[in-house]
mmCIF file of all heavy atoms in Angstrom:
data_model
loop_
_atom_site.group_PDB
_atom_site.id
_atom_site.type_symbol
_atom_site.label_atom_id
_atom_site.label_comp_id
_atom_site.label_asym_id
_atom_site.label_seq_id
_atom_site.Cartn_x
_atom_site.Cartn_y
_atom_site.Cartn_z
ATOM 1 N N MET A 1 2.063 -36.608 5.111
ATOM 2 C CA MET A 1 2.043 -35.213 4.658
ATOM 3 C C MET A 1 3.462 -34.778 4.295
ATOM 4 O O MET A 1 4.438 -35.391 4.713
ATOM 5 C CB MET A 1 1.512 -34.306 5.770
ATOM 6 C CG MET A 1 2.422 -34.254 6.978
ATOM 7 S SD MET A 1 2.290 -32.697 7.865
ATOM 8 C CE MET A 1 3.664 -32.832 8.992
ATOM 9 N N PRO A 12 20.946 -23.170 2.440
ATOM 10 C CA PRO A 12 19.587 -23.553 2.039
ATOM 11 C C PRO A 12 19.514 -24.982 1.493
ATOM 12 O O PRO A 12 18.450 -25.613 1.548
ATOM 13 C CB PRO A 12 19.254 -22.530 0.944
ATOM 14 C CG PRO A 12 20.120 -21.359 1.237
ATOM 15 C CD PRO A 12 21.384 -21.890 1.833
ATOM 16 N N ILE A 37 2.150 -20.286 4.841
ATOM 17 C CA ILE A 37 3.159 -20.480 5.895
ATOM 18 C C ILE A 37 4.096 -19.269 5.862
ATOM 19 O O ILE A 37 4.590 -18.887 4.793
ATOM 20 C CB ILE A 37 3.967 -21.769 5.606
ATOM 21 C CG1 ILE A 37 3.024 -22.988 5.585
ATOM 22 C CG2 ILE A 37 5.103 -21.946 6.609
ATOM 23 C CD1 ILE A 37 3.574 -24.170 4.802
ATOM 24 N N VAL A 66 -6.820 -23.790 8.498
ATOM 25 C CA VAL A 66 -8.127 -24.194 9.014
ATOM 26 C C VAL A 66 -7.943 -25.336 10.012
ATOM 27 O O VAL A 66 -7.180 -26.268 9.763
ATOM 28 C CB VAL A 66 -9.025 -24.656 7.842
ATOM 29 C CG1 VAL A 66 -10.370 -25.148 8.356
ATOM 30 C CG2 VAL A 66 -9.212 -23.532 6.836
ATOM 31 N N ALA A 69 -8.551 -30.869 13.189
ATOM 32 C CA ALA A 69 -8.732 -31.844 14.269
ATOM 33 C C ALA A 69 -8.546 -31.118 15.594
ATOM 34 O O ALA A 69 -7.719 -30.204 15.701
ATOM 35 C CB ALA A 69 -7.721 -32.974 14.141
ATOM 36 N N ALA A 102 -3.490 -22.470 22.977
ATOM 37 C CA ALA A 102 -3.111 -21.191 23.596
ATOM 38 C C ALA A 102 -2.104 -20.412 22.753
ATOM 39 O O ALA A 102 -1.840 -19.250 23.024
ATOM 40 C CB ALA A 102 -2.536 -21.438 24.988
ATOM 41 N N GLN A 157 5.171 1.949 9.281
ATOM 42 C CA GLN A 157 3.800 2.477 9.216
ATOM 43 C C GLN A 157 3.212 2.666 10.614
ATOM 44 O O GLN A 157 2.539 3.654 10.894
ATOM 45 C CB GLN A 157 2.911 1.518 8.418
ATOM 46 C CG GLN A 157 3.329 1.361 6.966
ATOM 47 C CD GLN A 157 2.463 0.311 6.277
ATOM 48 O OE1 GLN A 157 1.316 0.568 5.926
ATOM 49 N NE2 GLN A 157 3.012 -0.879 6.083
ATOM 50 N N SER A 172 19.281 -0.113 -0.154
ATOM 51 C CA SER A 172 19.374 0.360 -1.548
ATOM 52 C C SER A 172 18.454 1.553 -1.751
ATOM 53 O O SER A 172 17.539 1.799 -0.947
ATOM 54 C CB SER A 172 18.972 -0.759 -2.518
ATOM 55 O OG SER A 172 17.582 -1.023 -2.385
ATOM 56 N N ILE A 188 18.142 6.468 5.108
ATOM 57 C CA ILE A 188 19.599 6.374 5.153
ATOM 58 C C ILE A 188 19.961 5.042 4.492
ATOM 59 O O ILE A 188 19.290 4.028 4.732
ATOM 60 C CB ILE A 188 20.099 6.397 6.617
ATOM 61 C CG1 ILE A 188 19.779 7.750 7.260
ATOM 62 C CG2 ILE A 188 21.599 6.107 6.693
ATOM 63 C CD1 ILE A 188 20.137 7.849 8.738
ATOM 64 N N SER A 203 18.181 14.827 13.339
ATOM 65 C CA SER A 203 17.336 14.877 14.538
ATOM 66 C C SER A 203 18.049 15.299 15.818
ATOM 67 O O SER A 203 17.400 15.476 16.842
ATOM 68 C CB SER A 203 16.758 13.476 14.784
ATOM 69 O OG SER A 203 17.804 12.581 15.113
ATOM 70 N N SER A 212 17.725 -4.605 13.755
ATOM 71 C CA SER A 212 17.607 -6.042 13.499
ATOM 72 C C SER A 212 18.759 -6.555 12.644
ATOM 73 O O SER A 212 18.822 -7.731 12.335
ATOM 74 C CB SER A 212 16.287 -6.336 12.783
ATOM 75 O OG SER A 212 16.264 -5.667 11.538
ATOM 76 N N VAL A 213 19.649 -5.638 12.245
ATOM 77 C CA VAL A 213 20.749 -6.043 11.349
ATOM 78 C C VAL A 213 21.901 -6.622 12.167
ATOM 79 O O VAL A 213 22.587 -7.549 11.744
ATOM 80 C CB VAL A 213 21.173 -4.848 10.464
ATOM 81 C CG1 VAL A 213 22.437 -5.154 9.683
ATOM 82 C CG2 VAL A 213 20.036 -4.489 9.513
ATOM 83 N N THR A 217 25.702 -2.991 12.096
ATOM 84 C CA THR A 217 25.130 -1.678 12.395
ATOM 85 C C THR A 217 25.083 -1.347 13.885
ATOM 86 O O THR A 217 24.731 -0.234 14.257
ATOM 87 C CB THR A 217 23.675 -1.599 11.849
ATOM 88 O OG1 THR A 217 22.955 -2.728 12.330
ATOM 89 C CG2 THR A 217 23.662 -1.585 10.328
ATOM 90 N N LEU A 228 20.081 9.067 27.244
ATOM 91 C CA LEU A 228 18.944 8.342 27.811
ATOM 92 C C LEU A 228 18.129 7.605 26.749
ATOM 93 O O LEU A 228 17.030 7.121 27.021
ATOM 94 C CB LEU A 228 18.012 9.243 28.638
ATOM 95 C CG LEU A 228 18.636 10.119 29.718
ATOM 96 C CD1 LEU A 228 17.525 10.727 30.598
ATOM 97 C CD2 LEU A 228 19.594 9.355 30.606
ATOM 98 N N ALA A 276 -2.157 -9.619 19.264
ATOM 99 C CA ALA A 276 -2.759 -9.876 17.945
ATOM 100 C C ALA A 276 -3.929 -8.923 17.698
ATOM 101 O O ALA A 276 -4.091 -8.412 16.583
ATOM 102 C CB ALA A 276 -3.228 -11.324 17.862
ATOM 103 N N PRO A 293 2.249 -10.758 0.089
ATOM 104 C CA PRO A 293 3.586 -11.352 0.215
ATOM 105 C C PRO A 293 4.045 -12.032 -1.071
ATOM 106 O O PRO A 293 3.220 -12.449 -1.879
ATOM 107 C CB PRO A 293 3.390 -12.389 1.324
ATOM 108 C CG PRO A 293 1.942 -12.760 1.228
ATOM 109 C CD PRO A 293 1.214 -11.513 0.809
ATOM 110 N N ASP A 300 9.769 -25.089 -2.695
ATOM 111 C CA ASP A 300 10.823 -24.114 -3.022
ATOM 112 C C ASP A 300 11.225 -23.273 -1.808
ATOM 113 O O ASP A 300 11.721 -22.149 -1.953
ATOM 114 C CB ASP A 300 10.352 -23.169 -4.137
ATOM 115 C CG ASP A 300 10.189 -23.903 -5.455
ATOM 116 O OD1 ASP A 300 10.678 -25.047 -5.570
ATOM 117 O OD2 ASP A 300 9.558 -23.332 -6.365
ATOM 118 N N ARG A 311 19.123 -10.397 0.525
ATOM 119 C CA ARG A 311 18.544 -9.049 0.640
ATOM 120 C C ARG A 311 17.800 -8.657 -0.636
ATOM 121 O O ARG A 311 17.685 -7.471 -0.962
ATOM 122 C CB ARG A 311 19.635 -8.010 0.969
ATOM 123 C CG ARG A 311 20.384 -8.363 2.232
ATOM 124 C CD ARG A 311 21.653 -7.572 2.421
ATOM 125 N NE ARG A 311 21.415 -6.188 2.789
ATOM 126 C CZ ARG A 311 22.378 -5.343 3.160
ATOM 127 N NH1 ARG A 311 23.631 -5.765 3.221
ATOM 128 N NH2 ARG A 311 22.089 -4.100 3.468
#
Side-chain angles (χ1 to χ4, degrees):
M1 66 152 190
I37 300 157
V66 177
Q157 297 176 77
S172 68
I188 295 176
S203 66
S212 61
V213 171
T217 52
L228 309 191
D300 292 346
R311 303 167 73 172

